[in-house]
Every structure is written in structure tokens, then in C-alpha cells.
Amino acid sequence: MIYVSKEIPANAPGQQPLSRSDIWRGLVMKAENALPFVPGMAKCDVISRFDNGLVRDIVFRGEDARERITMYPEEKVVFVRESGNVDGFIVNEILGNDNDLRLRFSFALQLVDAPSDSAEEREFRAIMERDYLKAVDATLGAIRQMVADPAYAA
């Protein structure tokens, strides 16, 4: 099992300031359509919805998967892999208060058909760290673009 976590400030000096609500709105948009937010994702189709979440089919790095996403408003979004070549979960959390907002992405993932600590798992870890941790920056960048769009306030 591979465990990785990255936390970054949401409002570094010189950047478009974001509120907790802005970040939350962006995380909901990411859950519904991750393509603008996650480099390496080629497909993201919502197949069903439930009270506080949804189920979606994705293609990430050429692999099909199904994810069940549960949303905890203004706090976190939890992605659980239901099928595919990887088992595990991903959590996107909004931390801190208005003066110190941070976004943390964490994941615990395991290749279905590879032994723990195998060469294949170590290679997978390096790829996932790179791709998922890029997603933190890409997510905040996409949210900033959304906030800067005049249609956002509408």
C-alpha cells in the first residue's frame, strides 16, 4: 500500500485569493468532471448520484476505473476506488480558517496484481506521487481560473 499526502497553502502571496467556498465549489466541480483538474485523466463520466455524492467511471493513465465519491460540504471529498487495477482511496481536504486556508490531498493506493514493495509497486508509487501531487497545484490553478471568470459570480 502506498501512502502519500501533500498540503499546500491556498492563498500564497501574489495569487488570486480563494475563500473556503471557492475551494469547495472547485472540489465539487472536480468530482463531477476531473478533466480540467487532473493531468493524466482522459475520461470522467458520472454514472449515478446519491444524497452526498456520486459514482463515476474514469480513465486515468490509460486505465479504466470506477470511483464512489462522498462529499462532506466545505470540508472534504473522499474518492474510493470500486474497480480498476488499483484499490484504495483519495481524500481532498480544505483545512484551516479564512486567514490560513490549505488544501491537502492524501491517498492510500495499492496495485491489485502486484506484491507490496515489488519493483512494479515502487514504479507505480513514483508515477502516482508525481501525477497526484501535480493535481493539487492543477486543482488550485483551475479554481483560480474559475474565480477570475466574470461568469463565476453569476
Side-chain angles (χ1 to χ4, degrees):
M1 179 83 49
I2 300 164
Y3 303 95
V4 174
S5 186
K6 181 179 181 185
E7 182 178 313
I8 63 171
N11 292 315
Q15 294 179 325
Q16 165 76 39
L18 301 174
S19 68
R20 179 177 289 272
S21 293
D22 293 332
I23 296 169
W24 177 250
R25 191 167 167 189
L27 291 180
V28 170
M29 291 173 68
K30 179 177 171 256
E32 295 195 4
N33 178 17
L35 298 179
F37 299 89
V38 181
M41 189 167 292
K43 173 186 165 186
C44 184
D45 295 335
V46 174
I47 60 165
S48 67
R49 295 179 185 277
F50 52 95
D51 282 346
N52 61 333
L54 56 94
V55 176
R56 69 185 190 184
D57 286 339
I58 64 168
V59 174
F60 183 68
R61 301 194 79 253
E63 298 288 337
D64 292 326
R66 177 163 288 170
E67 295 179 323
R68 180 178 192 83
I69 301 168
T70 305
M71 297 182 222
Y72 302 86
E74 305 260 333
E75 292 181 27
K76 66 183 172 183
V77 180
V78 179
F79 305 76
V80 176
R81 286 286 174 95
E82 292 189 331
S83 69
N85 69 331
V86 176
D87 284 336
F89 64 90
I90 301 163
V91 180
N92 296 176
E93 296 175 273
I94 306 169
L95 304 171
N97 57 41
D98 289 342
N99 297 324
D100 182 34
L101 284 173
R102 298 176 313 283
L103 186 58
R104 178 170 58 200
F105 280 23
S106 304
F107 67 81
L109 299 173
Q110 183 170 357
L111 284 169
V112 171
D113 294 325
S116 291
D117 203 36
S118 64
E120 187 178 359
E121 186 183 68
R122 287 190 299 274
E123 179 182 347
F124 174 73
R125 176 189 178 93
I127 292 167
M128 289 295 94
E129 283 180 336
R130 183 194 70 221
D131 288 353
Y132 273 94
L133 299 181
K134 277 183 193 176
V136 180
D137 295 323
T139 296
L140 284 173
I143 293 169
R144 280 193 180 79
Q145 285 181 328
M146 174 187 74
V147 169
D149 185 341
Y152 174 73

